Amino acid sequence: MTYAYNRLDKDNAVVLLVDHQAGLLSLVRDIDPDKFKNNVLALADMATYFKLPTILTTSFESGPNGPLVPELKAQFPDAPYIARPGQINAWDNEDFVKAIKATGKKQLIIAGVVTEVCVAFPALSAIAEGFDVFVITDASGTFNEMTREAAWRRMTDAGAQLMTWFGAACELHRDWRNDVEGLGTLFSNHIPDYRNLFTSYETLTAGK
């Protein structure tokens, strides 16, 4: 099969943050907890920077899964927020699907906890309905590398594209000249090494 490069388009993308809940985050073991939370917040900042419509959803908040990470709720106070009463697959929730379709976007940028369930199930369902799905791997987490690899394989076999938040941001931005300071600040806020690089750049270009 010939591969077609279907790249992200900021005018046709919506971000889905699925089940980044306090209880579920304690299950993430395939990535360092601090790095994982940084990546989730970086994805959120990316969505804000590119003005992408963003949809939040949680599963069974009243149970052990717990509430949504408070930073996400604070960052997107006006975003659709679907607290699913019990559906494990977010796509089984009518309000969630309606919120996505209401954006008119065909590219779904998705991340969540845990990868093989909360990300894979809606990703596969969306692909089956004709959406293009881009999974942000480093803002999604699960129990271990084995379950992560199984989830990635299942999604890619169905047509999902695996990306990191950094790669997604670069693809959305297209050209540094669109906004050097803005993109550099986004990266600097979440990648310590990049902060050093950008500080050097700002020093060299000061006064020019």
Side-chain angles (χ1 to χ4, degrees):
M1 184 175 70
T2 303
Y3 177 78
Y5 179 25
N6 177 27
R7 59 181 177 174
L8 282 170
D9 179 353
K10 62 184 177 64
D11 296 321
N12 195 30
V14 55
V15 174
L16 311 178
L17 300 177
V18 183
D19 301 354
H20 289 100
Q21 296 168 247
L24 291 176
L25 256 63
S26 67
L27 302 177
V28 175
R29 291 289 181 271
D30 62 325
I31 185 172
D32 177 83
D34 291 336
K35 289 181 180 178
F36 178 65
K37 189 167 185 181
N38 173 70
N39 293 339
V40 172
L41 298 180
L43 176 59
D45 284 346
M46 185 197 83
T48 299
Y49 174 68
F50 288 107
K51 298 181 174 61
L52 303 179
T54 301
I55 297 169
L56 310 172
T57 186
T58 57
S59 172
F60 197 38
E61 283 189 21
S62 59
N65 294 347
L68 182 72
V69 172
E71 292 93 335
L72 295 180
K73 198 167 187 178
Q75 183 156 350
F76 301 103
D78 301 319
Y81 179 86
I82 293 89
R84 308 191 313 280
Q87 298 97 339
I88 294 174
N89 182 348
W91 207 264
D92 289 338
N93 183 280
E94 184 178 354
D95 292 334
F96 180 69
V97 177
K98 281 184 176 179
I100 294 170
K101 292 183 176 179
T103 69
K105 314 298 183 183
K106 293 297 292 182
Q107 294 183 336
L108 309 186
I109 301 172
I110 184 171
V113 183
V114 293
T115 308
E116 69 270 28
V117 176
C118 306
V119 178
F121 291 178
L124 295 169
S125 297
I127 291 169
E129 291 201 24
F131 288 89
D132 297 320
V133 173
F134 300 77
V135 176
I136 306 302
T137 57
D138 54 355
S140 303
T142 187
F143 304 104
N144 52 54
E145 293 182 2
M146 180 176 67
T147 53
R148 179 185 68 197
E149 294 296 328
W152 287 356
R153 175 65 63 87
R154 189 181 189 199
M155 289 187 284
T156 55
D157 283 351
Q161 294 193 48
L162 305 186
M163 303 187 74
T164 63
W165 73 263
F166 181 82
C170 289
E171 192 158 87
L172 288 163
H173 199 65
R174 294 282 201 274
D175 191 319
W176 268 109
R177 293 168 294 182
N178 290 330
D179 180 12
V180 175
E181 299 295 330
L183 190 67
T185 298
L186 171 64
F187 292 162
S188 298
N189 286 342
H190 295 283
I191 305 173
D193 292 340
Y194 204 93
R195 184 180 300 117
N196 296 334
L197 183 154
F198 204 67
T199 298
S200 175
Y201 163 78
E202 289 178 322
T203 301
L204 289 172
T205 56
K208 289 187 178 181

